[in-house]
Amino acid sequence: MDTDFVNAAYPSLKDRTVFVTGGASGIGASLVEHFCAQGAVVSFVDLAEEPAQRLVASVAAAGHRPPAFIPCDLRDVEALQRAVAETAAAHGPIRVLLNNAGNDDRHRTEDVTPAYWDDRMAVNLRHQFFAAQAVRPQMRDAGGGSIVNFGSITWMVGDPDCPAYVTAKAAISGMTRALAREFGPERIRVNCMIPGWVMTERQVTLWLTPEGERQIAERQCLPDRLHAPDIARMALFLAADDSRMCTSQNFIVDGGWV
């Protein structure tokens, strides 16, 4: 478990029910760890059961209330809706939704089929909308809440090697604006987190080549590498009452890439 936390504490997150998608590894796991460390009641969904169970054990070993893991394929909207309902039944209304799950598999335009395109939209975009739809009544009845959708700087820089992923991530910013306007009268805030190139195990293993290192050095304003806790710490702020008047915005954490 990552224990290298900055000192910020958010009392409003204590005992608050938090729902994380794609929480077993990478940025999602760091979200789970950070919110558990704040005393939140965390549930997360993922397909990867083994790393999910390791994460639960790691959080418990660190002395925090362990998160609840619910196996779920987010392409199955009904399964996602059941997971949201199960979380609320067990822990009370969800007040924070972290729409983190996604997959940035590389592909070329000439290789994309309609089936692959639809799958990329289901994996990277569709579940964010339906998760927001599912938690909205709970947040409204509880007096408000915070939804953080996760985008990517890929659409801002126009990455050329994953056009379906880039399209989905661009759409998330538009969806965020629409939902923020609709949900705002119910004191539900909707923001979009836009990470840069985060050094998760997946990214380092698959794509961090010497050329990639040079690109980071050339493009980022800051020399340090982005890590998952850098994203989680911004998410804490956006989930907490400290950001009560922040909504309908993109929050970029990329070391100054764009």
Side-chain angles (χ1 to χ4, degrees):
M1 177 177 179
D2 174 19
T3 57
D4 182 22
F5 298 130
V6 172
N7 293 328
Y10 297 95
S12 63
L13 294 177
K14 182 175 174 55
D15 298 324
R16 188 162 288 184
T17 303
V18 176
F19 189 86
V20 183
T21 66
S25 62
I27 293 172
S30 192
L31 293 170
V32 171
E33 291 172 342
H34 279 72
F35 277 84
C36 286
Q38 295 284 334
V41 182
V42 179
S43 290
F44 71 97
V45 292
D46 206 292
L47 271 175
E49 296 204 27
E50 187 175 333
Q53 297 296 353
R54 287 199 302 268
L55 176 61
V56 171
S58 174
V59 171
H64 304 303
R65 177 165 38 197
F69 165 56
I70 304 172
C72 180
D73 184 340
L74 291 170
R75 290 171 293 189
D76 182 344
V77 171
E78 291 184 355
L80 171 60
Q81 292 167 335
R82 288 194 298 271
V84 167
E86 179 181 331
T87 296
H91 306 298
I94 294 168
R95 299 290 303 279
V96 177
L97 168 64
L98 302 170
N99 265 327
N100 161 75
N103 184 290
D104 61 346
D105 279 352
R106 304 313 196 239
H107 52 273
R108 296 174 59 83
T109 293
E110 59 265 34
D111 299 325
V112 173
T113 64
Y116 181 80
W117 178 271
D118 290 346
D119 183 73
R120 293 301 88 188
M121 295 305 116
V123 167
N124 293 304
L125 171 63
R126 187 178 67 180
H127 62 83
Q128 293 206 18
F129 175 84
F130 285 102
Q133 181 193 67
V135 302
R136 180 187 184 181
Q138 300 177 29
M139 291 184 175
R140 179 192 62 221
D141 294 346
S146 175
I147 297 172
V148 183
N149 300 322
F150 280 71
S152 169
I153 64 166
T154 56
W155 72 266
M156 293 181 165
V157 300
D159 276 1
D161 56 359
C162 49
Y165 176 79
V166 169
T167 300
K169 289 300 183 178
I172 289 166
S173 287
M175 181 185 70
T176 295
R177 301 274 291 180
L179 296 184
R181 182 66 61 181
E182 183 181 356
F183 294 6
E186 299 163 5
R187 293 188 173 85
I188 300 170
R189 298 180 293 110
V190 189
N191 288 293
C192 185
M193 277 278 298
I194 300 186
W197 193 358
V198 182
M199 298 295 102
T200 63
E201 181 179 355
R202 170 183 166 86
Q203 295 296 317
V204 171
T205 300
L206 294 179
W207 296 301
L208 188 61
T209 62
E211 182 182 352
E213 289 279 14
R214 286 193 298 272
Q215 186 183 32
I216 294 170
E218 291 169 359
R219 295 298 300 271
Q220 283 188 187
C221 295
L222 299 173
D224 302 314
R225 298 297 178 259
L226 276 170
H227 294 279
D230 298 311
I231 309 305
R233 289 163 188 151
M234 176 61 84
L236 290 175
F237 171 72
L238 293 176
D241 291 350
D242 301 66
S243 59
R244 73 181 191 91
M245 293 303 288
C246 297
T247 196
S248 191
Q249 302 302 314
N250 289 328
F251 288 84
I252 303 171
V253 183
D254 70 345
W257 190 298
V258 297

